[in-house]
Amino acid sequence: DAAAASPFPVKLPVEASWMLGGPLFHIVNEGAVDTINVQTSTGAAIVALAPGYRASFWLARNLADTAYAWVPV
């Protein structure tokens, strides 16, 4: 229930559990809370979605090619 907190945190799952590619998640802030903060499984910030904004999340290799990373589009 996103109405319980604002900003509302949404943690994406551990990257290693998912296949590369996507989009694997599509998150929309329909205005129930001021901000939806999308985070990695460890709590690192990926993107903040204000009301009326949305993002799709793909899984790709990071720029250093050392690990997987969630990429918002």
Side-chain angles (χ1 to χ4, degrees):
D1 182 3
S6 184
F8 185 75
V10 174
K11 286 189 179 181
L12 296 182
V14 175
E15 295 85 348
S17 303
W18 292 78
M19 293 177 59
L20 292 174
L24 298 172
F25 295 94
H26 185 70
I27 299 173
V28 180
N29 185 351
E30 294 183 338
V33 294
D34 294 335
T35 307
I36 294 175
N37 291 331
V38 184
Q39 306 168 342
T40 67
S41 61
T42 61
I46 302 173
V47 70
L49 300 175
Y53 284 83
R54 64 186 69 217
S56 297
F57 294 86
W58 296 67
L59 190 58
R61 296 290 290 177
N62 64 14
L63 293 176
D65 199 27
T66 57
Y68 299 121
W70 291 113
V71 179
V73 176

